[in-house]
Amino acid sequence: MSKCILVVNSFKTESTDMASQISSFLEERGWTVGIFSYDGQEALKNGVEAVFEGMDLAVSLGGDGTVLFVSRGCAPLGIPVFAVNLGEFGFLASIQKNGWRKPLEEYLDGKLPCLSRFMVTCSVMREGREVFSCCGLNDMTVSSEAASRLINLDVSYSGSNLGPFKANGIIVATATGSTAYSAAAGGPIMSPGLKALVLTPISSFSLSARPLVFSADGTLSVRVLPSRAKIGLMADGQINFELKENDTVILGIPNYRVKLLGGSLDKFYSALQSKLNWSGGPRA
């Protein structure tokens, strides 16, 4: 018997009713359905985990933040994500809330398109041992906990030193995450299927510091140098880990990808045109 988990964003008022509808829809077709209530604020403060093992499908009911949470749990297990957009942007959650039934029927019939998106992984090494690891769909950020404080980071790519970075921090984003925090910090927007990472400085002390795009053939290494500010690592803006002086963060692209159902390049670029207000005319 096929199993599905519905991850319901508790902040979205319509998500509970929609979860009931989708649950009934799947159960009528012989599926076993479980529901997990996701509170983004609670997750940021205390961390929450859903059990995705053994599932054949995950349905995300919320915005792109909910998709990020679900993707981190599903990607390593190869579980596809059916993401219904109840948020604002919809770069990741491309299935509209009033039109979920037809694409879900297409998925059950094996006809729904699926986009694979590359992830980013991090491993924090401290005194020769790993003290933290996780994956992300959008990005990994190493930054000062105080927004106005500069920190010092030594960055290298596959052993080639890129020099010290003096900035509020750096963002290492996937192609998917290039439309998020990295773009807000001045980074380039990459096609979502590109297997690459972009390093974007945050408020760099040097005016010559520019975003850098790296292939997946190597790994990025970020060593924490002495600074006066507290420094943290954040995955997808949702998972926090406090870094210490001389910690080294190793970042790369894993072998697994997240499978996002119902997405397409046309939907991605249409979202860019709409959300970024690309009009192409004199008011652009």
PDB file of all heavy atoms in Angstrom, residues 8 21 47 54 60 62 96-97 99-100 123 131 133 138 168 173 190 196 200 212 224 252 277:
ATOM      1  N   VAL A   8       1.681  20.204   6.657  1.00  0.00           N
ATOM      2  CA  VAL A   8       0.719  21.301   6.648  1.00  0.00           C
ATOM      3  C   VAL A   8       1.288  22.493   7.412  1.00  0.00           C
ATOM      4  O   VAL A   8       1.591  22.391   8.606  1.00  0.00           O
ATOM      5  CB  VAL A   8      -0.618  20.857   7.289  1.00  0.00           C
ATOM      6  CG1 VAL A   8      -1.630  21.985   7.238  1.00  0.00           C
ATOM      7  CG2 VAL A   8      -1.146  19.612   6.586  1.00  0.00           C
ATOM      8  N   GLN A  21      -9.053  17.585   2.296  1.00  0.00           N
ATOM      9  CA  GLN A  21      -9.503  17.249   0.942  1.00  0.00           C
ATOM     10  C   GLN A  21      -8.524  16.313   0.244  1.00  0.00           C
ATOM     11  O   GLN A  21      -8.917  15.317  -0.380  1.00  0.00           O
ATOM     12  CB  GLN A  21      -9.677  18.526   0.121  1.00  0.00           C
ATOM     13  CG  GLN A  21     -10.769  19.459   0.613  1.00  0.00           C
ATOM     14  CD  GLN A  21     -10.845  20.720  -0.216  1.00  0.00           C
ATOM     15  OE1 GLN A  21     -10.666  20.699  -1.432  1.00  0.00           O
ATOM     16  NE2 GLN A  21     -11.090  21.842   0.436  1.00  0.00           N
ATOM     17  N   GLY A  47      13.750  23.595  16.487  1.00  0.00           N
ATOM     18  CA  GLY A  47      13.983  22.496  15.556  1.00  0.00           C
ATOM     19  C   GLY A  47      12.866  21.465  15.618  1.00  0.00           C
ATOM     20  O   GLY A  47      12.419  21.090  16.703  1.00  0.00           O
ATOM     21  N   GLY A  54      10.016   5.587   4.576  1.00  0.00           N
ATOM     22  CA  GLY A  54       8.923   4.688   4.237  1.00  0.00           C
ATOM     23  C   GLY A  54       7.819   5.324   3.431  1.00  0.00           C
ATOM     24  O   GLY A  54       6.859   4.641   3.036  1.00  0.00           O
ATOM     25  N   SER A  60       3.456  19.085   0.239  1.00  0.00           N
ATOM     26  CA  SER A  60       3.756  20.297   1.001  1.00  0.00           C
ATOM     27  C   SER A  60       2.623  21.296   0.811  1.00  0.00           C
ATOM     28  O   SER A  60       2.311  21.676  -0.322  1.00  0.00           O
ATOM     29  CB  SER A  60       5.087  20.895   0.518  1.00  0.00           C
ATOM     30  OG  SER A  60       5.295  22.171   1.070  1.00  0.00           O
ATOM     31  N   GLY A  62       1.863  24.923   1.887  1.00  0.00           N
ATOM     32  CA  GLY A  62       2.385  26.150   2.475  1.00  0.00           C
ATOM     33  C   GLY A  62       3.071  26.972   1.405  1.00  0.00           C
ATOM     34  O   GLY A  62       2.714  26.899   0.227  1.00  0.00           O
ATOM     35  N   GLN A  96      -0.841  25.468  -7.901  1.00  0.00           N
ATOM     36  CA  GLN A  96      -1.722  26.452  -7.287  1.00  0.00           C
ATOM     37  C   GLN A  96      -2.804  25.786  -6.432  1.00  0.00           C
ATOM     38  O   GLN A  96      -3.266  24.677  -6.725  1.00  0.00           O
ATOM     39  CB  GLN A  96      -2.361  27.340  -8.359  1.00  0.00           C
ATOM     40  CG  GLN A  96      -1.337  28.128  -9.164  1.00  0.00           C
ATOM     41  CD  GLN A  96      -0.375  28.912  -8.277  1.00  0.00           C
ATOM     42  OE1 GLN A  96      -0.800  29.689  -7.421  1.00  0.00           O
ATOM     43  NE2 GLN A  96       0.922  28.708  -8.469  1.00  0.00           N
ATOM     44  N   LYS A  97      -3.188  26.510  -5.366  1.00  0.00           N
ATOM     45  CA  LYS A  97      -4.074  25.909  -4.361  1.00  0.00           C
ATOM     46  C   LYS A  97      -5.454  25.544  -4.895  1.00  0.00           C
ATOM     47  O   LYS A  97      -6.092  24.632  -4.378  1.00  0.00           O
ATOM     48  CB  LYS A  97      -4.218  26.856  -3.172  1.00  0.00           C
ATOM     49  CG  LYS A  97      -4.803  28.220  -3.511  1.00  0.00           C
ATOM     50  CD  LYS A  97      -4.836  29.107  -2.282  1.00  0.00           C
ATOM     51  CE  LYS A  97      -5.395  30.493  -2.584  1.00  0.00           C
ATOM     52  NZ  LYS A  97      -5.395  31.361  -1.380  1.00  0.00           N
ATOM     53  N   GLY A  99      -5.953  24.435  -7.905  1.00  0.00           N
ATOM     54  CA  GLY A  99      -5.819  23.515  -9.038  1.00  0.00           C
ATOM     55  C   GLY A  99      -4.964  22.302  -8.725  1.00  0.00           C
ATOM     56  O   GLY A  99      -4.244  21.803  -9.595  1.00  0.00           O
ATOM     57  N   TRP A 100      -5.039  21.794  -7.493  1.00  0.00           N
ATOM     58  CA  TRP A 100      -4.188  20.663  -7.105  1.00  0.00           C
ATOM     59  C   TRP A 100      -4.713  19.319  -7.607  1.00  0.00           C
ATOM     60  O   TRP A 100      -3.953  18.374  -7.807  1.00  0.00           O
ATOM     61  CB  TRP A 100      -4.051  20.593  -5.586  1.00  0.00           C
ATOM     62  CG  TRP A 100      -5.351  20.418  -4.842  1.00  0.00           C
ATOM     63  CD1 TRP A 100      -6.115  21.389  -4.290  1.00  0.00           C
ATOM     64  CD2 TRP A 100      -6.035  19.174  -4.586  1.00  0.00           C
ATOM     65  NE1 TRP A 100      -7.228  20.860  -3.696  1.00  0.00           N
ATOM     66  CE2 TRP A 100      -7.204  19.497  -3.858  1.00  0.00           C
ATOM     67  CE3 TRP A 100      -5.772  17.844  -4.883  1.00  0.00           C
ATOM     68  CZ2 TRP A 100      -8.112  18.521  -3.444  1.00  0.00           C
ATOM     69  CZ3 TRP A 100      -6.672  16.866  -4.469  1.00  0.00           C
ATOM     70  CH2 TRP A 100      -7.822  17.213  -3.761  1.00  0.00           C
ATOM     71  N   SER A 123      29.461  20.386   6.107  1.00  0.00           N
ATOM     72  CA  SER A 123      30.028  19.622   7.201  1.00  0.00           C
ATOM     73  C   SER A 123      30.932  20.557   7.986  1.00  0.00           C
ATOM     74  O   SER A 123      31.816  21.195   7.406  1.00  0.00           O
ATOM     75  CB  SER A 123      30.826  18.425   6.668  1.00  0.00           C
ATOM     76  OG  SER A 123      31.481  17.743   7.719  1.00  0.00           O
ATOM     77  N   VAL A 131      31.365  18.045  13.729  1.00  0.00           N
ATOM     78  CA  VAL A 131      30.462  18.361  14.842  1.00  0.00           C
ATOM     79  C   VAL A 131      29.054  18.718  14.362  1.00  0.00           C
ATOM     80  O   VAL A 131      28.137  18.829  15.173  1.00  0.00           O
ATOM     81  CB  VAL A 131      31.023  19.520  15.694  1.00  0.00           C
ATOM     82  CG1 VAL A 131      32.298  19.086  16.405  1.00  0.00           C
ATOM     83  CG2 VAL A 131      31.279  20.772  14.844  1.00  0.00           C
ATOM     84  N   SER A 133      26.409  18.532  10.515  1.00  0.00           N
ATOM     85  CA  SER A 133      26.239  18.371   9.071  1.00  0.00           C
ATOM     86  C   SER A 133      24.762  18.485   8.730  1.00  0.00           C
ATOM     87  O   SER A 133      23.899  18.156   9.552  1.00  0.00           O
ATOM     88  CB  SER A 133      26.794  17.027   8.586  1.00  0.00           C
ATOM     89  OG  SER A 133      26.032  15.954   9.114  1.00  0.00           O
ATOM     90  N   ASN A 138      18.181  25.641  -0.796  1.00  0.00           N
ATOM     91  CA  ASN A 138      18.485  27.010  -1.218  1.00  0.00           C
ATOM     92  C   ASN A 138      19.944  27.389  -0.992  1.00  0.00           C
ATOM     93  O   ASN A 138      20.665  27.704  -1.934  1.00  0.00           O
ATOM     94  CB  ASN A 138      17.592  28.023  -0.487  1.00  0.00           C
ATOM     95  CG  ASN A 138      16.371  28.403  -1.273  1.00  0.00           C
ATOM     96  OD1 ASN A 138      16.170  27.943  -2.397  1.00  0.00           O
ATOM     97  ND2 ASN A 138      15.533  29.247  -0.696  1.00  0.00           N
ATOM     98  N   ASN A 168      29.944  40.974   6.363  1.00  0.00           N
ATOM     99  CA  ASN A 168      28.952  40.511   7.336  1.00  0.00           C
ATOM    100  C   ASN A 168      28.775  39.002   7.241  1.00  0.00           C
ATOM    101  O   ASN A 168      28.237  38.372   8.146  1.00  0.00           O
ATOM    102  CB  ASN A 168      27.603  41.182   7.104  1.00  0.00           C
ATOM    103  CG  ASN A 168      27.580  42.649   7.531  1.00  0.00           C
ATOM    104  OD1 ASN A 168      26.786  43.418   7.042  1.00  0.00           O
ATOM    105  ND2 ASN A 168      28.456  43.040   8.449  1.00  0.00           N
ATOM    106  N   ALA A 173      24.996  29.414  -2.355  1.00  0.00           N
ATOM    107  CA  ALA A 173      23.657  29.031  -2.818  1.00  0.00           C
ATOM    108  C   ALA A 173      23.713  28.073  -3.994  1.00  0.00           C
ATOM    109  O   ALA A 173      24.652  28.088  -4.802  1.00  0.00           O
ATOM    110  CB  ALA A 173      22.867  30.279  -3.225  1.00  0.00           C
ATOM    111  N   MET A 190      20.601  31.945 -11.517  1.00  0.00           N
ATOM    112  CA  MET A 190      21.041  30.840 -12.368  1.00  0.00           C
ATOM    113  C   MET A 190      19.852  29.973 -12.766  1.00  0.00           C
ATOM    114  O   MET A 190      18.869  29.869 -12.034  1.00  0.00           O
ATOM    115  CB  MET A 190      22.081  29.996 -11.628  1.00  0.00           C
ATOM    116  CG  MET A 190      23.334  30.773 -11.223  1.00  0.00           C
ATOM    117  SD  MET A 190      24.678  29.706 -10.626  1.00  0.00           S
ATOM    118  CE  MET A 190      24.014  29.131  -9.066  1.00  0.00           C
ATOM    119  N   ALA A 196      25.826  23.795  -9.906  1.00  0.00           N
ATOM    120  CA  ALA A 196      26.865  24.746  -9.516  1.00  0.00           C
ATOM    121  C   ALA A 196      26.493  25.396  -8.200  1.00  0.00           C
ATOM    122  O   ALA A 196      25.349  25.307  -7.739  1.00  0.00           O
ATOM    123  CB  ALA A 196      27.039  25.799 -10.599  1.00  0.00           C
ATOM    124  N   THR A 200      28.229  34.386  -2.594  1.00  0.00           N
ATOM    125  CA  THR A 200      27.884  35.808  -2.624  1.00  0.00           C
ATOM    126  C   THR A 200      28.249  36.459  -1.294  1.00  0.00           C
ATOM    127  O   THR A 200      27.731  36.058  -0.246  1.00  0.00           O
ATOM    128  CB  THR A 200      26.376  35.997  -2.883  1.00  0.00           C
ATOM    129  OG1 THR A 200      26.008  35.317  -4.084  1.00  0.00           O
ATOM    130  CG2 THR A 200      26.038  37.479  -3.026  1.00  0.00           C
ATOM    131  N   LEU A 212      30.916  34.702  -6.906  1.00  0.00           N
ATOM    132  CA  LEU A 212      31.715  33.736  -7.656  1.00  0.00           C
ATOM    133  C   LEU A 212      30.901  32.468  -7.864  1.00  0.00           C
ATOM    134  O   LEU A 212      30.268  31.970  -6.928  1.00  0.00           O
ATOM    135  CB  LEU A 212      33.002  33.395  -6.897  1.00  0.00           C
ATOM    136  CG  LEU A 212      33.966  34.555  -6.629  1.00  0.00           C
ATOM    137  CD1 LEU A 212      35.040  34.122  -5.629  1.00  0.00           C
ATOM    138  CD2 LEU A 212      34.611  35.015  -7.927  1.00  0.00           C
ATOM    139  N   VAL A 224      36.746  29.838   9.846  1.00  0.00           N
ATOM    140  CA  VAL A 224      36.390  30.988  10.662  1.00  0.00           C
ATOM    141  C   VAL A 224      37.659  31.567  11.293  1.00  0.00           C
ATOM    142  O   VAL A 224      38.360  30.896  12.057  1.00  0.00           O
ATOM    143  CB  VAL A 224      35.394  30.588  11.769  1.00  0.00           C
ATOM    144  CG1 VAL A 224      35.063  31.791  12.645  1.00  0.00           C
ATOM    145  CG2 VAL A 224      34.113  30.013  11.150  1.00  0.00           C
ATOM    146  N   GLY A 252      29.549  21.370  -0.515  1.00  0.00           N
ATOM    147  CA  GLY A 252      29.564  20.755  -1.832  1.00  0.00           C
ATOM    148  C   GLY A 252      28.173  20.360  -2.277  1.00  0.00           C
ATOM    149  O   GLY A 252      27.172  20.650  -1.599  1.00  0.00           O
ATOM    150  N   ASN A 277       8.969  41.637 -11.653  1.00  0.00           N
ATOM    151  CA  ASN A 277       8.395  42.737 -12.438  1.00  0.00           C
ATOM    152  C   ASN A 277       9.203  43.070 -13.683  1.00  0.00           C
ATOM    153  O   ASN A 277       9.560  44.215 -13.951  1.00  0.00           O
ATOM    154  CB  ASN A 277       8.266  43.996 -11.544  1.00  0.00           C
ATOM    155  CG  ASN A 277       7.330  45.038 -12.141  1.00  0.00           C
ATOM    156  OD1 ASN A 277       6.413  44.672 -12.884  1.00  0.00           O
ATOM    157  ND2 ASN A 277       7.547  46.300 -11.835  1.00  0.00           N
TER     158      ASN A 277
END
